[in-house]
Amino acid sequence: MAIYALAELEPSIHPDAYVHPDATVIGDVRIAAEASVWPGTVLRGDNGYIELGPRSNVQDGCVLHCTQRHPTILGANSAIGHSVHVEGATIGTGCLIASGSVVLNGTVVEDGGMVGAGAVLSYDSRVPSGHIALGVPARTRPNTAFGPEQIAAVVDGYVARAKRFRAELRRLD
Ligand SMILES: CC(C)(COP(=O)(O)OP(=O)(O)OC[C@H]1O[C@@H](n2cnc3c(N)ncnc32)[C@H](O)[C@@H]1OP(=O)(O)O)[C@@H](O)C(=O)NCCC(=O)NCCS
């Protein structure tokens, strides 16, 4: 597993979290219980910190970084889909940041907010609760496309999948 300290900056990973062996975790990264981090994802806490809340997931091929001014914080029960880049943003509880999106410095996604697939949120954007940001550059509107119960289903699925991987994943090469 690629988990690195950088001088005094050391990851803190709850024993009930799941970090896939092909994820890379560096420096001040705090991962709570039942959170999961999937293959090819890089969490680099070298300049500020990254925090993943309980039961949250960061799916395959994501890049999460932070700045001294803006840590990257993901609340409880939130999901970051495949191939997402988050740089110094705060994402609340029960949020979904969908595949291929880019969420930049100082952005806040409030509890229950969503970022649609492929959206780009520039500096200091805000997604209010119950809203979705779509497009490039992203525009925000009430979310009638993907409800809180669908976000919860994604989150539950990843909590269960992490348990399965912990028990059943075998490397064959
Ligand atoms: C946002 C999302 C849910 C939209 O789903 P949808 O069923 O196509 O939504 P709608 O049919 O209500 O589309 C409404 C409008 O938004 C547009 N739209 C849909 N998805 C869009 C996107 N990602 N970016 C920009 N515009 C989008 C549609 O073209 C449509 O435009 P119109 O009103 O001008 O015709 C989908 O694009 C998405 O991001 N899904 C996330 C899936 C995911 O990440 N799942 C979890 C991974 S495990």
Side-chain angles (χ1 to χ4, degrees):
M1 201 175 307
I3 296 181
Y4 300 93
L6 182 67
E8 75 289 356
L9 302 177
E10 206 168 302
S12 155
I13 302 175
H14 192 282
D16 294 334
Y18 176 72
V19 178
H20 186 278
D22 293 331
T24 302
V25 178
I26 302 170
D28 191 351
V29 177
R30 310 161 190 183
I31 304 179
E34 296 189 283
S36 60
V37 182
W38 295 88
T41 279
V42 177
L43 308 178
R44 177 151 57 86
D46 56 353
N47 189 23
Y49 66 91
I50 297 172
E51 194 172 290
L52 307 185
R55 290 174 44 86
S56 284
N57 64 78
V58 184
Q59 298 167 25
D60 317 60
C62 293
V63 175
L64 272 60
H65 192 220
C66 45
T67 68
Q68 242 153 7
R69 193 156 155 242
H70 297 297
T72 285
I73 299 172
L74 179 64
N77 293 306
S78 287
I80 297 193
H82 303 88
S83 301
V84 168
H85 174 198
V86 182
E87 184 84 23
T90 298
I91 296 160
T93 294
C95 298
L96 173 61
I97 313 301
S99 307
S101 54
V102 177
V103 180
L104 294 176
N105 313 49
T107 290
V108 175
V109 180
E110 294 179 358
D111 295 349
M114 177 170 168
V115 174
V120 175
L121 277 77
S122 194
Y123 303 128
D124 299 320
S125 301
R126 178 168 287 269
V127 182
S129 184
H131 284 61
I132 183 169
L134 289 174
V136 183
R139 298 280 173 259
T140 297
R141 64 188 194 206
N143 188 0
T144 52
F146 206 91
E149 64 295 333
Q150 289 170 285
I151 296 177
V154 171
V155 168
D156 290 347
Y158 271 86
V159 171
R161 192 173 275 124
K163 286 197 178 104
R164 178 177 174 214
F165 271 60
R166 188 197 285 281
E168 297 180 7
L169 187 71
R170 291 177 295 131
R171 186 162 181 154
L172 297 179
D173 65 348

